[in-house]
Coordinates of all heavy atoms in Angstrom, one line a residue:
M1 N 27.8 -4.9 -9.3 CA 26.5 -4.6 -8.6 C 25.5 -4.3 -9.7 O 25.6 -3.3 -10.4 CB 26.6 -3.4 -7.6 CG 27.3 -3.8 -6.3 SD 26.4 -4.8 -5.2 CE 25.4 -3.5 -4.4
S2 N 24.4 -5.1 -9.8 CA 23.4 -4.7 -10.7 C 22.4 -3.9 -9.8 O 22.2 -4.0 -8.6 CB 22.7 -6.0 -11.2 OG 22.0 -6.6 -10.1
D3 N 21.6 -3.0 -10.5 CA 20.7 -2.1 -9.9 C 19.3 -2.8 -10.0 O 18.4 -2.2 -10.6 CB 20.8 -0.7 -10.5 CG 19.9 0.2 -9.7 OD1 19.6 -0.1 -8.5 OD2 19.4 1.2 -10.3
Q4 N 19.2 -3.9 -9.5 CA 17.9 -4.6 -9.6 C 17.2 -4.7 -8.3 O 16.4 -5.6 -8.1 CB 18.1 -6.0 -10.2 CG 18.4 -6.0 -11.6 CD 17.3 -5.5 -12.5 OE1 16.1 -6.0 -12.4 NE2 17.5 -4.5 -13.3
S5 N 17.4 -3.8 -7.3 CA 16.8 -3.9 -6.1 C 15.5 -3.1 -6.0 O 14.8 -3.0 -5.0 CB 17.7 -3.4 -4.9 OG 18.1 -2.1 -5.2
Y6 N 15.1 -2.5 -7.2 CA 13.8 -1.9 -7.2 C 13.3 -2.1 -8.7 O 14.0 -1.8 -9.6 CB 13.9 -0.4 -6.9 CG 12.6 0.3 -7.1 CD1 11.9 0.6 -5.9 CD2 12.2 0.7 -8.3 CE1 10.6 1.2 -6.0 CE2 11.0 1.4 -8.4 CZ 10.2 1.6 -7.3 OH 9.0 2.2 -7.5
Y7 N 12.1 -2.5 -8.8 CA 11.4 -2.5 -10.1 C 9.9 -2.6 -9.9 O 9.5 -2.7 -8.8 CB 11.9 -3.7 -11.0 CG 11.7 -5.1 -10.4 CD1 10.5 -5.7 -10.7 CD2 12.6 -5.7 -9.6 CE1 10.3 -7.0 -10.2 CE2 12.3 -7.0 -9.0 CZ 11.2 -7.6 -9.4 OH 10.9 -8.8 -8.9
E8 N 9.2 -2.5 -11.0 CA 7.8 -2.4 -10.8 C 7.1 -3.6 -11.5 O 7.5 -3.9 -12.7 CB 7.1 -1.1 -11.2 CG 7.5 0.0 -10.3 CD 7.0 1.4 -10.8 OE1 6.3 1.4 -11.8 OE2 7.4 2.4 -10.2
V9 N 6.1 -4.1 -10.9 CA 5.3 -5.2 -11.6 C 3.9 -4.6 -11.8 O 3.3 -4.4 -10.8 CB 5.2 -6.5 -10.8 CG1 4.3 -7.5 -11.5 CG2 6.6 -7.1 -10.6
G10 N 3.6 -4.1 -13.0 CA 2.4 -3.4 -13.2 C 2.6 -2.1 -12.4 O 3.5 -1.4 -12.5
D11 N 1.6 -1.8 -11.5 CA 1.6 -0.6 -10.8 C 2.4 -0.8 -9.3 O 2.6 0.2 -8.6 CB 0.2 -0.2 -10.4 CG -0.5 0.4 -11.6 OD1 0.2 0.7 -12.6 OD2 -1.8 0.3 -11.6
F12 N 2.8 -2.0 -9.1 CA 3.3 -2.3 -7.8 C 4.8 -2.3 -7.7 O 5.5 -3.2 -8.3 CB 2.7 -3.6 -7.3 CG 1.2 -3.5 -7.1 CD1 0.4 -3.9 -8.2 CD2 0.7 -3.0 -6.0 CE1 -0.9 -3.8 -8.0 CE2 -0.7 -2.9 -5.9 CZ -1.5 -3.3 -7.0
P13 N 5.4 -1.4 -6.9 CA 6.8 -1.4 -6.7 C 7.3 -2.6 -5.9 O 6.6 -3.0 -4.9 CB 7.2 -0.2 -5.9 CG 5.9 0.7 -6.1 CD 4.8 -0.2 -6.2
V14 N 8.3 -3.3 -6.4 CA 8.9 -4.4 -5.7 C 10.4 -4.0 -5.4 O 11.0 -3.5 -6.3 CB 8.9 -5.6 -6.6 CG1 9.7 -6.8 -5.9 CG2 7.5 -6.1 -7.0
F15 N 10.8 -4.0 -4.2 CA 12.1 -3.6 -3.8 C 12.7 -4.4 -2.7 O 12.0 -5.0 -1.9 CB 12.1 -2.1 -3.5 CG 11.2 -1.7 -2.4 CD1 11.6 -1.7 -1.1 CD2 9.8 -1.6 -2.7 CE1 10.8 -1.4 0.0 CE2 8.9 -1.2 -1.5 CZ 9.4 -1.2 -0.3
C16 N 14.0 -4.3 -2.5 CA 14.8 -5.0 -1.5 C 14.9 -4.0 -0.3 O 15.6 -2.9 -0.6 CB 16.0 -5.6 -2.0 SG 16.9 -6.6 -0.8
D17 N 14.5 -4.4 0.8 CA 14.8 -3.5 2.0 C 16.2 -3.8 2.5 O 16.5 -4.9 3.0 CB 13.7 -3.8 3.0 CG 13.9 -2.8 4.3 OD1 13.9 -1.6 4.1 OD2 14.1 -3.4 5.4
E18 N 17.0 -2.8 2.4 CA 18.4 -3.0 2.7 C 18.6 -3.3 4.2 O 19.5 -4.2 4.6 CB 19.3 -1.8 2.4 CG 19.5 -1.7 0.9 CD 20.4 -0.4 0.6 OE1 21.0 0.2 1.5 OE2 20.3 0.0 -0.6
E19 N 17.8 -2.8 5.1 CA 18.0 -3.0 6.5 C 17.7 -4.5 6.9 O 18.4 -5.1 7.5 CB 17.1 -2.1 7.3 CG 17.8 -1.0 7.9 CD 16.8 0.0 8.6 OE1 16.0 -0.5 9.5 OE2 16.8 1.2 8.3
S20 N 16.5 -5.0 6.4 CA 16.1 -6.3 6.8 C 16.6 -7.4 5.8 O 16.6 -8.6 6.1 CB 14.6 -6.4 7.0 OG 14.0 -6.1 5.7
G21 N 17.0 -6.9 4.6 CA 17.4 -7.8 3.5 C 16.1 -8.5 2.9 O 16.2 -9.4 2.1
K22 N 14.9 -8.1 3.3 CA 13.7 -8.7 2.8 C 13.3 -8.0 1.5 O 13.5 -6.9 1.3 CB 12.7 -8.8 3.8 CG 12.9 -9.7 5.0 CD 11.7 -9.8 5.9 CE 11.9 -10.6 7.0 NZ 11.9 -12.1 6.8
W23 N 12.5 -8.8 0.7 CA 11.9 -8.2 -0.5 C 10.5 -7.7 -0.1 O 9.7 -8.5 0.5 CB 11.9 -9.2 -1.6 CG 13.3 -9.3 -2.3 CD1 14.3 -10.1 -1.8 CD2 13.7 -8.5 -3.4 NE1 15.4 -9.8 -2.6 CE2 15.1 -9.0 -3.6 CE3 13.2 -7.6 -4.2 CZ2 15.9 -8.4 -4.6 CZ3 13.9 -7.1 -5.2 CH2 15.3 -7.5 -5.4
C24 N 10.2 -6.6 -0.6 CA 8.9 -5.9 -0.3 C 8.1 -5.5 -1.4 O 8.7 -5.2 -2.5 CB 9.0 -4.7 0.6 SG 10.1 -5.0 2.0
V25 N 6.8 -5.6 -1.3 CA 5.9 -5.1 -2.3 C 5.0 -4.0 -1.7 O 4.5 -4.2 -0.6 CB 4.9 -6.2 -2.8 CG1 4.0 -5.7 -3.9 CG2 5.7 -7.4 -3.3
Q26 N 5.1 -2.8 -2.4 CA 4.3 -1.7 -1.8 C 2.8 -2.0 -2.1 O 2.5 -2.1 -3.4 CB 4.7 -0.4 -2.3 CG 3.9 0.8 -1.6 CD 4.2 2.2 -2.2 OE1 5.2 2.3 -3.0 NE2 3.3 3.0 -2.0
T27 N 2.0 -2.1 -1.1 CA 0.6 -2.4 -1.4 C -0.4 -1.3 -1.0 O -1.5 -1.2 -1.3 CB 0.2 -3.6 -0.6 OG1 0.5 -3.5 0.8 CG2 1.0 -4.8 -1.1
A28 N 0.1 -0.3 -0.2 CA -0.8 0.7 0.3 C 0.0 2.0 0.5 O 1.2 2.1 0.6 CB -1.4 0.2 1.6
I29 N -0.9 3.0 0.7 CA -0.3 4.4 1.0 C -0.9 4.8 2.3 O -2.1 4.7 2.5 CB -0.6 5.4 -0.1 CG1 0.1 5.0 -1.5 CG2 -0.2 6.8 0.3 CD1 -0.5 5.7 -2.6
C30 N -0.1 5.3 3.2 CA -0.6 5.7 4.5 C -1.3 7.1 4.4 O -0.7 8.1 3.8 CB 0.6 5.8 5.4 SG 0.2 6.7 7.0
R31 N -2.5 7.1 4.8 CA -3.3 8.3 4.5 C -3.1 9.4 5.6 O -3.5 10.5 5.4 CB -4.8 8.0 4.4 CG -5.5 7.5 5.6 CD -6.9 7.1 5.3 NE -7.5 6.2 6.2 CZ -8.1 6.7 7.3 NH1 -8.3 7.9 7.5 NH2 -8.6 5.8 8.1
L32 N -2.3 9.0 6.6 CA -2.0 10.1 7.6 C -0.6 10.8 7.2 O -0.5 12.0 7.2 CB -1.7 9.5 9.0 CG -3.1 9.1 9.7 CD1 -2.8 8.4 11.1 CD2 -4.0 10.2 9.9
G33 N 0.3 10.0 6.9 CA 1.7 10.6 6.5 C 2.1 10.4 5.1 O 3.1 10.9 4.7
G34 N 1.3 9.7 4.3 CA 1.7 9.5 2.9 C 2.9 8.5 2.7 O 3.5 8.4 1.7
C35 N 3.1 7.8 3.8 CA 4.2 6.8 3.7 C 3.8 5.6 2.8 O 2.6 5.3 2.7 CB 4.5 6.3 5.1 SG 4.2 7.3 6.5
A36 N 4.8 4.9 2.3 CA 4.5 3.7 1.6 C 4.4 2.5 2.5 O 5.2 2.4 3.5 CB 5.7 3.4 0.6
I37 N 3.4 1.7 2.3 CA 3.1 0.6 3.2 C 3.4 -0.7 2.4 O 2.8 -0.8 1.3 CB 1.7 0.6 3.8 CG1 1.5 1.9 4.6 CG2 1.5 -0.7 4.7 CD1 0.1 2.1 5.1
S38 N 4.3 -1.5 2.9 CA 4.7 -2.6 2.1 C 4.5 -4.0 2.9 O 4.5 -4.0 4.1 CB 6.2 -2.5 1.8 OG 6.5 -1.2 1.4
K39 N 4.5 -5.0 2.1 CA 4.4 -6.3 2.6 C 5.8 -7.0 2.4 O 6.3 -6.8 1.3 CB 3.3 -7.0 1.9 CG 2.6 -8.1 2.7 CD 1.3 -8.5 1.8 CE 0.9 -9.9 2.0 NZ 0.7 -10.6 3.2
A40 N 6.3 -7.5 3.4 CA 7.7 -8.1 3.2 C 7.7 -9.6 3.0 O 6.9 -10.3 3.6 CB 8.5 -7.8 4.5
F41 N 8.6 -10.0 2.2 CA 8.8 -11.4 1.8 C 10.3 -11.9 2.0 O 11.1 -11.0 1.8 CB 8.3 -11.8 0.4 CG 6.9 -11.4 0.2 CD1 6.4 -10.2 -0.1 CD2 5.9 -12.4 0.4 CE1 5.1 -9.9 -0.4 CE2 4.6 -12.1 0.2 CZ 4.2 -10.9 -0.2
D42 N 10.5 -13.1 2.2 CA 11.9 -13.6 2.4 C 12.7 -13.6 1.1 O 13.9 -13.3 1.1 CB 11.9 -15.0 3.0 CG 11.5 -14.9 4.5 OD1 11.7 -13.9 5.2 OD2 10.9 -15.9 5.0
T43 N 11.9 -13.8 0.0 CA 12.7 -14.0 -1.3 C 12.1 -13.0 -2.3 O 10.9 -12.6 -2.2 CB 12.6 -15.4 -1.8 OG1 11.3 -15.7 -2.1 CG2 13.2 -16.4 -0.8
E44 N 12.9 -12.7 -3.3 CA 12.4 -11.8 -4.4 C 11.3 -12.6 -5.1 O 10.3 -12.0 -5.6 CB 13.6 -11.5 -5.4 CG 13.2 -10.7 -6.6 CD 14.2 -10.5 -7.6 OE1 15.3 -11.1 -7.4 OE2 13.9 -9.9 -8.6
E45 N 11.4 -13.9 -5.2 CA 10.5 -14.7 -6.0 C 9.1 -14.5 -5.3 O 8.0 -14.4 -6.1 CB 10.9 -16.2 -6.0 CG 10.2 -17.0 -7.0 CD 10.7 -18.4 -7.0 OE1 11.4 -18.8 -6.1 OE2 10.2 -19.1 -7.9
E46 N 9.0 -14.6 -4.0 CA 7.7 -14.5 -3.3 C 7.1 -13.1 -3.5 O 5.9 -12.9 -3.8 CB 7.9 -14.8 -1.8 CG 8.1 -16.2 -1.5 CD 8.4 -16.4 0.0 OE1 7.5 -16.5 0.8 OE2 9.6 -16.4 0.3
A47 N 8.0 -12.1 -3.4 CA 7.5 -10.7 -3.5 C 7.0 -10.5 -5.0 O 5.9 -9.9 -5.1 CB 8.7 -9.7 -3.3
H48 N 7.7 -11.0 -5.9 CA 7.3 -10.9 -7.4 C 6.0 -11.6 -7.6 O 5.1 -11.0 -8.2 CB 8.4 -11.5 -8.2 CG 8.2 -11.2 -9.6 ND1 9.0 -10.3 -10.3 CD2 7.3 -11.8 -10.5 CE1 8.6 -10.2 -11.6 NE2 7.6 -11.1 -11.7
M49 N 5.8 -12.7 -7.0 CA 4.6 -13.5 -7.2 C 3.4 -12.7 -6.6 O 2.3 -12.7 -7.2 CB 4.7 -14.8 -6.6 CG 5.1 -15.9 -7.5 SD 5.4 -17.5 -6.7 CE 3.9 -17.8 -5.8
H50 N 3.6 -12.1 -5.4 CA 2.6 -11.4 -4.8 C 2.2 -10.2 -5.6 O 1.0 -9.9 -5.8 CB 3.0 -10.9 -3.4 CG 2.0 -10.2 -2.6 ND1 0.9 -10.9 -2.1 CD2 1.8 -8.9 -2.3 CE1 0.1 -10.1 -1.5 NE2 0.6 -8.9 -1.6
A51 N 3.2 -9.4 -6.2 CA 2.9 -8.3 -7.0 C 2.2 -8.7 -8.3 O 1.2 -8.0 -8.7 CB 4.1 -7.6 -7.3
T52 N 2.6 -9.8 -8.8 CA 1.9 -10.3 -10.0 C 0.5 -10.6 -9.7 O -0.5 -10.3 -10.5 CB 2.6 -11.6 -10.5 OG1 4.0 -11.3 -10.7 CG2 2.0 -12.0 -11.9
E53 N 0.2 -11.3 -8.6 CA -1.2 -11.6 -8.2 C -2.1 -10.3 -8.0 O -3.2 -10.3 -8.5 CB -1.2 -12.3 -6.9 CG -1.3 -13.8 -7.0 CD -1.0 -14.5 -5.7 OE1 -1.5 -14.1 -4.7 OE2 -0.2 -15.5 -5.7
L54 N -1.4 -9.3 -7.4 CA -2.2 -8.1 -7.1 C -2.6 -7.5 -8.5 O -3.7 -7.0 -8.7 CB -1.3 -7.1 -6.4 CG -1.1 -7.4 -4.9 CD1 -0.1 -6.4 -4.3 CD2 -2.3 -7.4 -4.2
G55 N -1.6 -7.5 -9.5 CA -1.9 -7.0 -10.8 C -2.9 -7.8 -11.5 O -3.8 -7.2 -12.2
A56 N -2.8 -9.1 -11.4 CA -3.7 -9.9 -12.1 C -5.2 -9.8 -11.6 O -6.1 -10.0 -12.4 CB -3.3 -11.4 -11.9
T57 N -5.3 -9.4 -10.4 CA -6.7 -9.3 -9.8 C -7.1 -7.8 -9.8 O -8.1 -7.4 -9.2 CB -6.8 -9.8 -8.4 OG1 -5.7 -9.2 -7.5 CG2 -6.7 -11.3 -8.3
N58 N -6.3 -6.9 -10.5 CA -6.6 -5.5 -10.7 C -6.8 -4.8 -9.4 O -7.6 -3.9 -9.3 CB -7.9 -5.4 -11.6 CG -7.7 -5.6 -13.0 OD1 -6.7 -5.3 -13.5 ND2 -8.6 -6.3 -13.6
Q59 N -5.9 -5.2 -8.5 CA -6.0 -4.5 -7.2 C -5.3 -3.1 -7.4 O -4.3 -2.9 -8.2 CB -5.4 -5.3 -6.1 CG -6.2 -6.5 -5.8 CD -6.0 -7.0 -4.4 OE1 -5.9 -6.1 -3.5 NE2 -5.8 -8.3 -4.2
E60 N -5.7 -2.1 -6.5 CA -5.1 -0.8 -6.6 C -4.5 -0.6 -5.2 O -4.8 -1.3 -4.3 CB -6.0 0.3 -7.0 CG -6.5 0.1 -8.4 CD -7.5 1.1 -8.8 OE1 -8.0 1.9 -7.9 OE2 -7.9 1.2 -9.9
F61 N -3.7 0.4 -5.1 CA -3.2 0.9 -3.8 C -4.4 1.2 -2.9 O -5.3 1.9 -3.4 CB -2.3 2.1 -3.9 CG -0.9 1.8 -4.4 CD1 -0.4 2.6 -5.4 CD2 -0.2 0.8 -3.9 CE1 0.8 2.4 -6.0 CE2 1.1 0.5 -4.4 CZ 1.6 1.4 -5.4
V62 N -4.3 0.7 -1.7 CA -5.4 1.1 -0.8 C -4.9 2.2 0.1 O -3.7 2.2 0.4 CB -5.8 -0.1 0.1 CG1 -6.7 -1.0 -0.7 CG2 -4.7 -0.9 0.7
M63 N -5.7 3.0 0.6 CA -5.4 4.0 1.6 C -5.5 3.3 2.9 O -6.5 2.8 3.3 CB -6.3 5.2 1.5 CG -6.2 6.0 0.1 SD -4.5 6.4 -0.3 CE -4.4 8.0 0.6
S64 N -4.4 3.4 3.6 CA -4.4 2.8 4.9 C -3.6 3.7 5.9 O -3.4 4.8 5.6 CB -3.7 1.4 4.8 OG -3.8 0.7 6.0
V65 N -3.3 3.1 7.1 CA -2.6 3.9 8.1 C -1.5 3.1 8.6 O -1.7 1.9 9.0 CB -3.5 4.3 9.3 CG1 -2.8 5.0 10.4 CG2 -4.7 5.3 8.7
C66 N -0.3 3.6 8.5 CA 0.9 2.7 9.0 C 1.0 2.8 10.5 O 0.5 3.7 11.1 CB 2.2 3.1 8.3 SG 2.9 4.6 8.9
E67 N 1.6 1.8 11.0 CA 1.8 1.7 12.5 C 2.4 2.9 13.1 O 1.9 3.4 14.1 CB 2.7 0.5 12.7 CG 2.8 0.1 14.2 CD 1.4 -0.4 14.8 OE1 0.6 -0.8 14.0 OE2 1.2 -0.1 16.0
E68 N 3.4 3.5 12.5 CA 4.1 4.7 13.0 C 3.1 5.8 13.1 O 3.1 6.5 14.2 CB 5.2 5.0 12.1 CG 6.5 5.4 12.8 CD 7.6 5.6 11.8 OE1 8.1 4.5 11.4 OE2 8.0 6.6 11.4
C69 N 2.4 6.2 12.1 CA 1.6 7.3 12.1 C 0.4 7.1 13.0 O -0.1 8.1 13.6 CB 1.1 7.6 10.7 SG 2.3 8.2 9.6
Y70 N 0.0 5.9 13.1 CA -1.2 5.5 14.0 C -0.8 5.8 15.5 O -1.6 6.4 16.2 CB -1.6 4.0 13.8 CG -2.8 3.6 14.6 CD1 -4.0 4.2 14.3 CD2 -2.7 2.7 15.6 CE1 -5.1 3.9 15.0 CE2 -3.8 2.3 16.3 CZ -5.0 2.9 16.0 OH -6.1 2.6 16.8
Q71 N 0.4 5.4 15.8 CA 0.9 5.7 17.2 C 0.9 7.2 17.4 O 0.6 7.6 18.5 CB 2.3 5.1 17.4 CG 2.3 3.5 17.4 CD 1.4 2.9 18.4 OE1 1.1 3.5 19.5 NE2 0.8 1.7 18.1
E72 N 1.4 7.9 16.5 CA 1.5 9.4 16.6 C 0.1 10.0 16.7 O -0.2 10.8 17.6 CB 2.1 10.0 15.4 CG 3.6 10.5 15.6 CD 4.2 11.0 14.4 OE1 3.5 11.8 13.7 OE2 5.3 10.5 14.0
Y73 N -0.8 9.4 15.9 CA -2.2 9.9 16.0 C -2.8 9.6 17.3 O -3.5 10.5 17.8 CB -2.9 9.1 14.9 CG -4.4 9.3 14.8 CD1 -4.9 10.5 14.3 CD2 -5.3 8.3 15.3 CE1 -6.3 10.7 14.3 CE2 -6.6 8.5 15.2 CZ -7.2 9.7 14.8 OH -8.5 9.9 14.7
L74 N -2.5 8.5 17.9 CA -3.1 8.1 19.2 C -2.5 9.1 20.3 O -3.3 9.5 21.2 CB -2.7 6.7 19.6 CG -3.4 5.6 18.9 CD1 -3.0 4.2 19.5 CD2 -4.9 5.7 19.0
Q75 N -1.3 9.5 20.1 CA -0.7 10.4 21.1 C -1.3 11.8 21.0 O -1.5 12.5 22.0 CB 0.8 10.5 20.9 CG 1.5 9.3 21.5 CD 3.0 9.2 21.2 OE1 3.6 10.2 20.7 NE2 3.6 8.1 21.7
D76 N -1.6 12.2 19.8 CA -2.1 13.5 19.5 C -3.5 13.6 20.2 O -4.0 14.7 20.5 CB -2.3 13.8 18.1 CG -0.9 14.1 17.4 OD1 0.1 14.3 18.2 OD2 -0.8 14.2 16.2
C77 N -4.2 12.4 20.3 CA -5.6 12.5 20.8 C -5.7 12.5 22.3 O -6.8 12.7 22.9 CB -6.3 11.2 20.3 SG -6.7 11.3 18.6
R78 N -4.5 12.3 23.0 CA -4.6 12.3 24.4 C -4.7 13.7 25.0 O -4.2 14.7 24.4 CB -3.3 11.7 25.0 CG -3.6 10.1 25.1 CD -2.3 9.5 25.5 NE -2.3 8.1 25.1 CZ -1.3 7.4 24.7 NH1 -0.1 7.9 24.8 NH2 -1.4 6.1 24.3
Ligands
ZN101 ZN1 2.5 6.6 7.9

């Protein structure tokens, strides 16, 4: 077993999600819960390319809100 299920391309973590078996690139941080928000790809190659593109265009992590925290937030508002 090689430990290649997590690495970074520039600032962007690329990792394999064990549950879904998909490759993900972390692109954002949830500003409600601090969770990592990732984009999932079917193959490592696609994920790697996406991370490379993000790095090439000097993108940074965006502050966003993940679905889970958003639902909690909505409930808190009721
Ligand atoms: Zn969250």
Side-chain angles (χ1 to χ4, degrees):
M1 284 283 281
S2 68
D3 187 24
Q4 285 298 306
S5 55
Y6 178 98
Y7 60 92
E8 287 174 12
V9 177
D11 290 336
F12 297 92
V14 177
F15 58 94
C16 186
D17 181 57
E18 283 177 19
E19 257 176 54
S20 64
K22 287 188 188 288
W23 282 84
C24 306
V25 179
Q26 186 188 339
T27 55
I29 298 165
C30 170
R31 65 186 162 88
L32 288 178
C35 332
I37 299 174
S38 319
K39 212 167 148 49
F41 297 88
D42 288 330
T43 65
E44 179 187 359
E45 198 180 6
E46 285 173 87
H48 188 102
M49 265 171 56
H50 185 70
T52 306
E53 263 170 42
L54 290 174
T57 50
N58 285 320
Q59 293 205 43
E60 292 177 354
F61 283 132
V62 284
M63 296 306 277
S64 187
V65 176
C66 76
E67 189 60 31
E68 219 169 287
C69 292
Y70 184 63
Q71 293 301 333
E72 256 176 49
Y73 173 77
L74 287 182
Q75 279 174 10
D76 285 350
C77 286
R78 272 178 205 145

